[in-house]
Amino acid sequence: MSAATTLTPAAGGQFTAGAPGIPLGRLLRVELRKLFDTRAARVLVILMVIGVLAVNVISVIVGRGEPQSLDAFIQGSFIPLGFLLPIIAIMSVTGEWSQRSALTTFMWEPRRARVLAAKFVAALIVALLGFVAVAASSALSLGIAGLTGSELDWNINEAIVAGSLIMLVTYVAQGIAFGAAVHNTAGALILFAMLPTAVSLLTALVPFLRDIREWIDINVASSPISVGEFGGSNVAHFLVSALLWIGLPAAIGVWRTLNREVK
């Protein structure tokens, strides 16, 4: 097989020689565009912007005349992103199946693993860009707070900021994993929102689960990380829970995506 050809899926998941595949860079640009190519995604972006601005405005007004810190502004601004950005990530994966565009997508790029990888990287890029936007917005808002007489603290606690960024990336990766595993927007959203909460309740109520709660409950394991506490066994707890809540659904999602028949 020449280097100019790629593999095209045939029945039963087998591959045959076909047309040249799409370069990864172009595929990534396509997936970045598709993240915001629906009305629902654009509405969520608008809600994120409104949410970040609202958090900053409220912080300026409520803290008028009081000491204000850049860390506090950044942490508050991350809340709308952490809530809404994973939903966009979920829709970017499930949309291929719920909107029946998978046939077109995998016809142009039959290497389905590359499509999933491009979706994952695109979502992470957006998360990082969101972090930059939040940092800029927080700095601007802190400057405005100084005009109200507040004492400003421009120092950044790197651990807290790193923890907030790690949590944002974790939520986005978890959204991609659940979307790939379920292939249905409503189902993925319900599982993403409800399953960790249900496990948290079980680990709090069932005696024999309490001893391993920090290892299997991502809400508990991520709490120290979100505030920059990386000491002790916090990182180990977080990594194991992330493997359970991201790695497991991601593995299921990759298998389903590679083997599901496209109609």
Side-chain angles (χ1 to χ4, degrees), residues 12 28 36 38 44 64 71 100 128 145 149 153 158 219 222 245:
L28 181 58
F36 309 105
T38 63
L44 289 174
R64 183 173 52 190
D71 285 340
R100 302 193 178 188
L128 294 176
D153 181 6
E158 290 85 357
N219 291 327
S222 62
W245 287 95

Side-chain angles (χ1 to χ4, degrees), residues 92-134:
S92 73
V93 180
T94 59
E96 299 286 1
W97 307 97
S98 61
Q99 298 178 18
R100 302 193 178 188
S101 60
L103 182 61
T104 302
T105 298
F106 297 136
M107 178 186 70
W108 287 106
E109 179 47 87
R111 294 167 293 186
R112 301 184 185 184
R114 283 168 60 91
V115 175
L116 272 180
K119 290 180 181 295
F120 179 73
V121 174
L124 291 185
I125 290 175
V126 171
L128 294 176
L129 291 176
F131 166 77
V132 174
V134 161

Side-chain angles (χ1 to χ4, degrees), residues 13-222:
Q14 300 300 315
F15 293 86
T16 58
I22 299 175
L24 187 59
R26 187 187 307 166
L27 190 62
L28 181 58
R29 290 195 298 270
V30 170
E31 294 302 332
L32 281 169
R33 177 182 58 80
K34 288 167 65 176
L35 272 171
F36 309 105
D37 207 25
T38 63
R39 182 180 301 174
R42 289 191 289 268
V43 169
L44 289 174
V45 171
I46 294 173
L47 290 177
M48 278 193 294
V49 173
I50 293 175
V52 170
L53 293 177
V55 168
N56 288 332
V57 169
I58 292 173
S59 298
V60 170
I61 295 174
V62 173
R64 183 173 52 190
E66 300 293 331
Q68 302 261 35
S69 69
L70 185 57
D71 285 340
F73 273 90
I74 291 177
Q75 281 187 297
S77 299
F78 262 119
I79 295 175
L81 262 68
F83 182 72
L84 296 174
L85 195 55
I87 299 177
I88 296 178
I90 288 174
M91 294 191 302
S92 73
V93 180
T94 59
E96 299 286 1
W97 307 97
S98 61
Q99 298 178 18
R100 302 193 178 188
S101 60
L103 182 61
T104 302
T105 298
F106 297 136
M107 178 186 70
W108 287 106
E109 179 47 87
R111 294 167 293 186
R112 301 184 185 184
R114 283 168 60 91
V115 175
L116 272 180
K119 290 180 181 295
F120 179 73
V121 174
L124 291 185
I125 290 175
V126 171
L128 294 176
L129 291 176
F131 166 77
V132 174
V134 161
S137 173
S138 299
L140 178 61
S141 299
L142 185 63
I144 295 174
L147 301 177
T148 66
S150 295
E151 180 182 347
L152 305 184
D153 181 6
W154 290 95
N155 295 318
I156 293 180
N157 187 319
E158 290 85 357
I160 292 178
V161 175
S164 298
L165 180 57
I166 289 172
M167 291 311 305
L168 180 62
V169 171
T170 298
Y171 293 144
V172 170
Q174 190 177 351
I176 290 284
F178 273 75
V182 178
H183 285 184
N184 177 272
T185 303
L189 288 174
I190 291 173
L191 285 178
F192 176 81
M194 301 301 296
L195 194 56
T197 302
V199 171
S200 293
L201 290 175
L202 283 176
T203 55
L205 296 175
V206 180
F208 75 90
L209 292 178
R210 292 174 188 165
D211 296 334
I212 58 173
R213 190 180 188 190
E214 294 85 358
W215 299 96
I216 64 174
D217 187 346
I218 194 168
N219 291 327
V220 173
S222 62

